[in-house]
Amino acid sequence: MQELGVNYLNKYTQLIEMCLVTPLECSIPSHEHDRCDHFKRCIYITCARAISWRVRISLPEDFGFCTLLGISVKTDSLMKTMGCLALSLHPTAILGLLFFFASLRSGEAHCRASDDVCEFWLRVEHRLPMMRGREAVYAQGGQLYMWDDVTASQPINASEIITADGWENARLVIAVNGSIPGPPIEVWENQNVVVHVTNLMSSEGLTIHWHGLPQEGTPWMDGVPFVTQCPIEPQQTFTYRFKAYPSGTYWYHSHLGSQLPMGVVGAFIIRSQQDAPLPEHIIMLQEWNHNSDANLIIAQMMFGAFHDRKKLIPSKSIEGTHFSMFPFHSGLINGRGRYYHMNGSHTGTPLTTYSVTRGQTYRFRMIGSGSLYPFRVSVDGHPMTIIATDGYDIVPTVVDAVIINPGERYDFLILADNTPGRYWIRAQTLEINVLYHIAQAILEYTGAPGPGGEAFSSAKTCSPQDRCQVLNCPFLHYPVSYNSDCLKITDLKAKVKYEVPGEDPNEEVKDIFLNFAFPGTTWTPGSVNGRAYKHPPVSSLTQPKEIDAASCDPKYCGEDKICACPYTITLEHNKVYQFILTNMGIGRGWAHPIHMHGHTYTVVKIGYPFYDPVTAQVGADSPDINCGGKTTNFCNEAIWANTSWGGNSVPGLTFNSPPRKDTVIVPSGGYVVIRIRADNPGAWFMHCHIELHSVDGMALVLNESYPLQTAPPVGFPTCGDFLYQKKEYSWPNNDLNKKANRDDHGISWRYFWIVVACLLFLVMLEWLIIAVTCSKARRATARESQSQSIALQPHHNPAYNGK
């Protein structure tokens, strides 16, 4: 999907030239009787798109140029009015009108640096891929065609069609503003961001998490269901409001259940005035399964996965660890990929293409928006200069490839100095004994020969004489046969020197051990220290007094026990904490990318297990950690093996400008040491960013600086259980601790007798009114009878006597 508005003036100039100067480029037929109609529709679409951001209706695909802005048409009275107004104006007036609305909307689609508030609208709804309106499409040779175009003679515009990997059987997806991924949101540092999220799904709740943003002062906007807010229910709208800080590459995604791998993702870019003015591209990378939705895959992980009476076996990684049960069908870059059959043929879906000009340097913002697999990413014929990770700049580091895990971000530079042509951008999983588990995009030079199409480049051949440099391996080294060297995250240096929390030897540093694993015997859920996280029925941050504090009872949770509870750790304000993230004991076997909300932490050390020096297969756990355990090896209460270690006394800690991250991979059998200063009051979720693991319970909450946590905005939604119990009711305006004596229908006897007394009073009053009315009627009747009697008597008028 196109990025939202990069240069509105130039884009609208192009649109106007197409519509007014050379209308044939608008696909207007040459025969005269259709020219006027098409011209009017062209003008209408242009005007409507100028004043409506990404709200979709079905449009003729022959107006493909009108999708240049990535903005869509809203068919309300305002749009129709503006369209009709445009038709009645002179071309010069139309030109001015378009420029006016371009400048008006540019602050919403792509904020100007001078704007104080940036406001956006996101609509989340179910969609079907490979559909154009209500009609199916199919892919062939990198183009899309309507289902009934059996000769593949009329390719259609693919810009507003969700293609995924081109699989044509129906598969439910969740789109944001009609696309996968959702529209990128680009703002400037310190601007106030307002995002209205409307849930148009019919049967699912929703929240949106702003991944990597610390949400300082706005912890209730972090977007975690039952931690910082209640879910946004179907047909509801929730407004997120927060400050865009700090600058860097971030992203947004659903945080409810397993919706992320169904498509609810999008880039969130915060620019700095100090950023180098380089042309940019965004890469959103994820795996795809075109048969099963994520809920089914989670159920298969929990209850067993079979297909055609065969048990599905998970794949393995290079170092011998496992991947969970999310069968890989294809990889997507910006929502586009191809499904490869075993014979090497594929679906022929159009791929994402990045245009470059020879001699120019480009910044790529790469986001690991997947839910399970790490990808090794490289660009044929072009070294990558890594300049930032998880939003923070590092000293530029040149590599041949980088491994990105779910939740991570890496910014890199590419110098377009090769022969003009088309080059593959490759992203391959770390699986072994599989074929075509890749995602692909195309780097296309301006002036590349041919009208556009496939790339035919080759990846670098790693050899003993020319070894490949790979950043961020989830293991210490590659097998010897790979001829590749691993650079650890701790090999990177922050570009700007800063004070590492607790590096002052006089300041206390508290160690906290957290084991992310699947320990247990008969029950082996994803857990942290043997506690599988179970969400409370309320929002922890905004309804803290309604959480059962004793739910993680030591009677059920402990060194040799596995339990399910809302696991929470309390952090004191302004204290330095050193988290030792382990992946050890009987529940190891998977690498885990651990993400912390509310903070960017300092990575000061990585410890590895033993590996075979030739095959790199993982061996025994790191000897630095004592997993404890009286009768088991759950590693629920780990400590340093050397009791003299702790705080700043741990050997190998890096204080010389170590990198800062919010998501880091913890190797199986190893550990990672990170540090934070607890200076951001809130309830912060910390979890494995493999969706299956997190949903299964591999998470906890950091209850930070509780006395300093502020109340949420007035009217902030609440949620919770409704337990219908006899004589246990509270009315909204009464003291919650007072229980009224009510019957089974919730009616107090006191109120019952008050109502009865009122009714009796009304009855008596009505009888009194009737009695008075009847008395008055009888008196009136008596007077009327008397009057009639007098009227019948002879008159004593003398005149009558004279006759």
Side-chain angles (χ1 to χ4, degrees):
M1 187 57 60
Q2 298 274 350
E3 293 182 23
L4 297 181
V6 176
N7 189 323
Y8 273 77
L9 187 64
N10 290 340
K11 287 187 174 183
Y12 273 96
T13 301
Q14 278 187 300
L15 290 181
I16 294 163
E17 288 177 352
M18 290 178 179
C19 279
L20 302 179
V21 181
T22 55
L24 287 177
E25 292 186 32
C26 240
S27 297
I28 296 179
S30 58
H31 45 288
E32 198 63 34
H33 68 275
D34 279 346
R35 179 181 295 275
C36 181
D37 179 60
H38 279 258
F39 175 75
K40 290 181 178 180
R41 293 169 71 189
C42 179
I43 294 296
Y44 165 72
I45 291 169
T46 303
C47 294
R49 288 183 187 277
I51 52 178
S52 177
W53 176 37
R54 303 191 69 86
V55 183
R56 300 190 183 285
I57 62 169
S58 296
L59 293 175
E61 290 295 335
D62 54 355
F63 291 100
F65 82 93
C66 289
T67 64
L68 180 63
L69 294 179
I71 302 174
S72 304
V73 179
K74 179 178 180 182
T75 54
D76 59 17
S77 57
L78 175 61
M79 305 305 154
K80 294 176 182 177
T81 301
M82 296 312 304
C84 294
L85 176 61
L87 297 180
S88 65
L89 297 176
H90 187 274
T92 304
I94 296 176
L95 181 69
L97 183 66
L98 293 180
F99 280 126
F100 169 76
F101 281 110
S103 62
L104 175 67
R105 294 300 294 185
S106 63
E108 296 185 13
H110 184 273
C111 280
R112 297 176 298 241
S114 59
D115 292 333
D116 178 57
V117 177
C118 297
E119 194 165 11
F120 305 91
W121 286 260
L122 300 180
R123 300 174 302 110
V124 181
E125 60 190 333
H126 284 120
R127 286 291 187 92
L128 295 175
M130 298 301 287
M131 297 290 291
R132 181 190 180 201
R134 298 176 60 86
E135 300 290 323
V137 302
Y138 70 93
Q140 182 175 310
Q143 298 281 357
L144 293 183
Y145 302 90
M146 296 304 299
W147 66 275
D148 54 355
D149 184 2
V150 295
T151 61
S153 58
Q154 298 181 7
I156 61 175
N157 187 353
S159 62
E160 296 193 3
I161 295 175
I162 299 172
T163 60
D165 64 0
W167 194 252
E168 295 178 38
N169 293 343
R171 196 273 204 203
L172 194 66
V173 301
I174 305 177
V176 181
N177 288 8
S179 67
I180 293 178
I185 296 177
E186 303 182 28
V187 298
W188 291 85
E189 191 172 30
N190 292 320
Q191 287 180 327
N192 293 297
V193 179
V194 179
V195 186
H196 308 281
V197 178
T198 299
N199 180 4
L200 297 179
M201 295 182 289
S202 59
S203 57
E204 295 186 49
L206 171 75
T207 64
I208 297 294
H209 169 54
W210 312 95
H211 187 114
L213 299 187
Q215 296 291 354
E216 293 180 5
T218 53
W220 353 270
M221 295 296 160
D222 194 43
V224 183
F226 304 112
V227 175
T228 62
Q229 71 172 96
C230 301
I232 308 168
E233 297 299 334
Q235 309 310 313
Q236 290 183 346
T237 296
F238 184 94
T239 298
Y240 292 93
R241 184 184 295 267
F242 52 86
K243 186 172 288 294
Y245 178 85
S247 62
T249 301
Y250 305 96
W251 61 303
Y252 63 88
H253 61 82
S254 171
H255 218 298
L256 182 62
S258 54
Q259 293 175 341
L260 183 153
M262 296 184 70
V264 193
V265 298
F268 190 92
I269 310 301
I270 302 178
R271 302 190 184 281
S272 170
Q273 299 284 2
Q274 285 72 44
D275 284 345
L278 293 175
E280 297 184 359
H281 293 296
I282 295 174
I283 296 176
M284 297 205 71
L285 177 60
Q286 67 185 105
E287 68 280 89
W288 192 253
N289 181 298
H290 56 231
N291 282 343
S292 304
D293 63 42
N295 290 322
L296 175 58
I297 292 173
I298 286 176
Q300 288 177 324
M301 182 187 73
M302 297 175 64
F303 305 116
F306 290 81
H307 182 70
D308 288 340
R309 300 185 184 178
K310 295 180 181 179
K311 187 173 184 178
L312 299 180
I313 305 299
S315 58
K316 286 192 173 184
S317 180
I318 292 171
E319 81 280 22
T321 59
H322 304 283
F323 291 110
S324 292
M325 290 303 303
F326 188 103
F328 184 99
H329 284 161
S330 55
L332 308 183
I333 293 180
N334 291 2
R336 301 193 183 280
R338 289 172 173 173
Y339 174 68
Y340 278 82
H341 303 281
M342 296 304 295
N343 62 3
S345 63
H346 55 72
T347 50
T349 321
L351 298 175
T352 298
T353 299
Y354 298 101
S355 298
V356 297
T357 300
R358 181 176 169 79
Q360 179 66 269
T361 298
Y362 292 83
R363 178 175 187 160
F364 283 78
R365 298 178 182 266
M366 182 168 62
I367 300 169
S369 55
S371 61
L372 174 58
Y373 293 98
F375 287 89
R376 173 172 165 161
V377 181
S378 61
V379 183
D380 289 0
H382 298 77
M384 309 165 70
T385 302
I386 311 298
I387 61 170
T389 178
D390 291 3
Y392 281 83
D393 292 342
I394 61 170
V395 175
T397 303
V398 180
V399 297
D400 297 297
V402 59
I403 295 174
I404 187 168
N405 296 278
E408 291 188 299
R409 288 91 64 211
Y410 288 93
D411 291 25
F412 62 88
L413 303 181
I414 289 291
L415 173 60
D417 61 350
N418 218 317
T419 303
R422 298 177 184 86
Y423 298 83
W424 285 119
I425 298 176
R426 304 172 186 268
Q428 186 163 0
T429 70
L430 299 188
E431 297 169 281
I432 58 173
N433 301 322
V434 297
L435 292 174
Y436 309 116
H437 281 203
I438 59 175
Q440 298 168 303
I442 297 173
L443 186 76
E444 183 179 66
Y445 277 71
T446 302
E454 299 294 294
F456 296 99
S457 59
S458 300
K460 175 181 177 179
T461 300
C462 307
S463 66
Q465 296 76 30
D466 189 11
R467 298 179 64 84
C468 291
Q469 302 299 308
V470 183
L471 174 64
N472 194 35
C473 305
F475 36 76
L476 184 59
H477 60 82
Y478 269 96
V480 172
S481 61
Y482 280 66
N483 295 313
S484 296
D485 298 323
C486 287
L487 279 72
K488 303 188 295 294
I489 281 297
T490 48
D491 292 331
L492 302 177
K493 299 297 180 184
K495 186 176 182 180
V496 178
K497 188 174 177 58
Y498 65 99
E499 182 180 353
V500 176
E503 68 175 302
D504 183 348
N506 297 318
E507 185 171 20
E508 180 187 1
V509 178
K510 182 176 181 180
D511 286 354
I512 296 179
F513 286 81
L514 300 174
N515 191 46
F516 293 83
F518 293 92
T521 52
T522 57
W523 181 43
T524 58
S527 64
V528 181
N529 290 347
R531 295 156 175 84
Y533 188 80
K534 180 182 178 181
H535 282 291
V538 300
S539 169
S540 302
L541 176 66
T542 58
Q543 300 170 257
K545 296 182 179 180
E546 300 177 53
I547 298 177
D548 184 2
S551 56
C552 289
D553 194 328
K555 182 168 59 176
Y556 306 105
C557 310
E559 186 177 16
D560 299 296
K561 302 171 184 175
I562 306 298
C563 65
C565 62
Y567 186 29
T568 302
I569 293 178
T570 299
L571 305 182
E572 298 178 25
H573 185 65
N574 211 39
K575 193 168 185 176
V576 176
Y577 290 91
Q578 179 166 273
F579 293 91
I580 300 90
L581 313 179
T582 63
N583 181 2
M584 296 183 174
I586 195 175
R588 73 166 203 175
W590 297 259
H592 301 296
I594 304 304
H595 173 52
M596 180 187 289
H597 294 217
H599 284 275
T600 294
Y601 44 70
T602 299
V603 183
V604 294
K605 181 180 174 66
I606 300 179
Y608 291 94
F610 292 99
Y611 295 97
D612 185 280
V614 176
T615 65
Q617 296 302 287
V618 65
D621 286 349
S622 170
D624 297 344
I625 305 294
N626 176 8
C627 273
K630 300 173 184 177
T631 60
T632 65
N633 188 28
F634 289 173
C635 214
N636 290 348
E637 296 181 4
I639 58 174
W640 291 114
N642 188 329
T643 55
S644 68
W645 290 14
N648 287 335
S649 67
V650 177
L653 296 179
T654 301
F655 293 148
N656 181 22
S657 301
R660 289 181 284 188
K661 290 179 67 64
D662 56 63
T663 308
V664 68
I665 191 71
V666 181
S668 179
Y671 64 92
V672 177
V673 183
I674 63 174
R675 284 191 178 187
I676 67 166
R677 182 178 297 279
D679 55 3
N680 189 15
W684 306 115
F685 207 45
M686 186 176 183
H687 61 101
C688 176
H689 218 280
I690 293 175
E691 193 86 345
L692 300 174
H693 299 179
S694 178
V695 173
D696 199 33
M698 198 174 289
L700 74 155
V701 170
L702 303 176
N703 185 19
E704 183 174 342
S705 307
Y706 178 72
L708 300 179
Q709 293 176 11
T710 57
V714 175
F716 198 83
T718 60
C719 46
D721 293 333
F722 172 64
L723 303 178
Y724 198 141
Q725 300 177 10
K726 183 177 181 180
K727 301 178 182 179
E728 296 276 340
Y729 304 93
S730 295
W731 296 91
N733 295 325
N734 289 356
D735 186 348
L736 294 178
N737 295 320
K738 293 181 180 179
K739 304 279 196 307
N741 182 21
R742 299 175 173 87
D743 67 3
D744 287 341
H745 297 288
I747 302 299
S748 168
W749 284 109
R750 174 171 170 265
Y751 288 112
F752 170 79
W753 287 117
I754 290 176
V755 172
V756 170
C758 291
L759 291 174
L760 290 174
F761 173 76
L762 291 175
V763 170
M764 294 176 63
L765 181 62
E766 187 168 353
W767 276 107
L768 179 62
I769 292 173
I770 293 174
V772 171
T773 302
C774 291
S775 176
K776 289 182 177 180
R778 285 196 297 270
R779 287 198 297 270
T781 302
R783 286 196 298 272
E784 184 178 355
S785 299
Q786 184 177 6
S787 299
Q788 291 176 352
S789 174
I790 294 173
L792 293 175
Q793 293 179 2
H795 290 272
H796 299 283
N797 191 323
Y800 283 97
N801 295 334
K803 291 180 179 178

